[in-house]
Amino acid sequence: MNYSLEPIGVVHSCFSEKFAIPRQPQLAPAATGTLELFAPYNQPEALAGLEQVSHLWLLFIFHAAESGPKHLRVRPPRLGGNQRIGVFASRATHRPNPLGQSVVKLESIVDGKLLLSGIDLLDGTPVLDIKPYVPYADSLPHARNDLAPAPPAPIAVTWSPLARTQAEQQGARLHSDLLSLIEQCLAQDPKPAYQQPAPTREYGARFWDLNVRWHYPNPDSIRVIDIQLANPLA
Ligand code: SAM
C-alpha cells in the first residue's frame, strides 16, 4: 500500500549544512528558523489557537539523508560510531522512511510564518505536519532510554579575540544571537566520536551565510578560530 504525502511548508534554518547540527532539538536553544507554510495552510484559520501553545512537534522529511540501501542496523554517532543497534532503536536519519520528528519552541507567528527556536533541522527541510506539544501526554518523567540516558556532556568552547568580535558583528547584522548559537552547537562536539584531532587540525561548518572554523587545542575543548562570509551555495 502506498501513501502520498505533501509538505505543508519548509523550514528556513540557521543550519546551512548537516555538520554541527545538534543531534536532537532543544540542545541549542539559540538555534532558530522560520517555518514558511504553503497555501492554504498559511492562512489564519489553520493557525488559530497556536498562540496558546509554547512548543510544537514537527514531522518532517530528512530530505538530505544519504540515499542507498537501507540497513536493519545502524551505528549512531551518539554511541561512538562503532556500536550497531537496530534502526528502530535509533533516531538515525537513514531509515526505512526518511521521517523525522522534533519538538521545537514556537516563539511567534508573523504573517503566516512560524518563528521557531531550539531546532535541529537543516535549511530547506520539508515539513509534513505540525502538532501541538501536549505536556501531560508527551512528557513522561519515568520513561527510560538506556542508550541515551542523558544529554551529551557539553565540552568547553573558547574564542580567539578575532572570532568573538566577528561573532558579535555578524550576529548584529543577522539580528541573531550568533555567539550563543555557535557555543551551544560546538559544545555538542560535532566531530565523529572516534576521531582524535591533532591540535593543528581545523574543522568548519556553515551557520546562516557564515563559515565558522575551529580546532581542538586539547581533546576536551574547542577554540573558535574565525568566522567568514561564505560563498553563496550553488
Ligand atoms: N529530532 C529528529 C528525530 O529524532 O527524528 C532528528 C534527529 S537526527 C539524529 C538529527 C540530525 O539530523 C542532525 O544532527 C542533522 O545532521 C540531521 N538533519 C537535520 N535535518 C535534516 C534533513 N532535512 N535531512 C537530512 N538530515 C537532517
Side-chain angles (χ1 to χ4, degrees):
M1 210 182 304
N2 284 322
Y3 299 93
S4 132
L5 301 170
E6 289 288 325
I8 53 127
V10 64
V11 173
H12 305 288
S13 150
C14 58
F15 297 120
S16 315
E17 67 170 279
K18 286 190 280 180
F19 188 50
I21 303 182
R23 295 185 182 124
Q24 285 302 332
Q26 307 306 321
L27 293 172
T32 57
T34 305
L35 172 49
E36 177 192 350
L37 293 165
F38 301 145
Y41 308 111
N42 55 355
Q43 297 178 45
E45 292 99 299
L47 305 175
L50 272 189
E51 68 286 350
Q52 300 184 58
V53 172
S54 68
H55 290 75
L56 305 172
W57 282 106
L58 298 187
L59 308 176
F60 61 91
I61 306 223
F62 288 119
H63 73 301
E66 281 156 32
S67 53
K70 306 288 183 190
H71 299 293
L72 299 185
R73 299 213 292 170
V74 295
R75 287 190 288 202
R78 171 79 202 246
L79 300 179
N82 49 17
Q83 191 182 330
R84 285 180 194 274
I85 60 172
V87 65
F88 299 125
S90 89
R91 297 279 192 104
T93 59
H94 194 65
R95 50 197 315 114
N97 293 301
L99 297 177
Q101 56 179 76
S102 294
V103 174
V104 301
K105 184 161 184 221
L106 175 59
E107 296 285 352
S108 58
I109 303 177
V110 179
D111 297 334
K113 296 192 173 94
L114 308 189
L115 275 46
L116 309 171
S117 67
I119 63 175
D120 61 346
L121 307 168
L122 181 64
D123 189 47
T125 296
V127 173
L128 296 175
D129 204 356
I130 303 168
K131 297 193 186 191
Y133 183 83
V134 179
Y136 77 80
D138 296 343
S139 166
L140 305 172
H142 304 300
R144 230 185 75 224
N145 183 337
D146 296 338
L147 291 167
I155 67 169
V157 177
T158 63
W159 296 80
S160 73
L162 171 69
R164 181 177 278 277
T165 305
Q166 291 168 328
E168 286 163 359
Q169 287 171 347
Q170 295 294 345
R173 175 181 65 87
L174 293 165
H175 306 292
S176 126
D177 184 359
L178 188 64
L179 212 104
S180 299
L181 172 66
I182 293 170
E183 279 187 0
Q184 291 167 6
C185 293
L186 297 192
Q188 306 293 315
D189 194 2
K191 76 169 164 42
Y194 55 82
Q195 272 182 17
Q196 294 294 323
T200 49
R201 178 168 177 178
E202 292 182 3
Y203 290 76
R206 188 165 164 163
F207 299 85
W208 299 113
D209 57 354
L210 300 165
N211 277 332
V212 177
R213 286 192 312 138
W214 68 90
H215 74 125
Y216 292 79
N218 59 63
D220 299 324
S221 78
I222 277 178
R223 187 165 192 265
V224 187
I225 301 168
D226 72 2
I227 300 173
Q228 301 287 342
L229 268 178
N231 292 327
L233 288 174

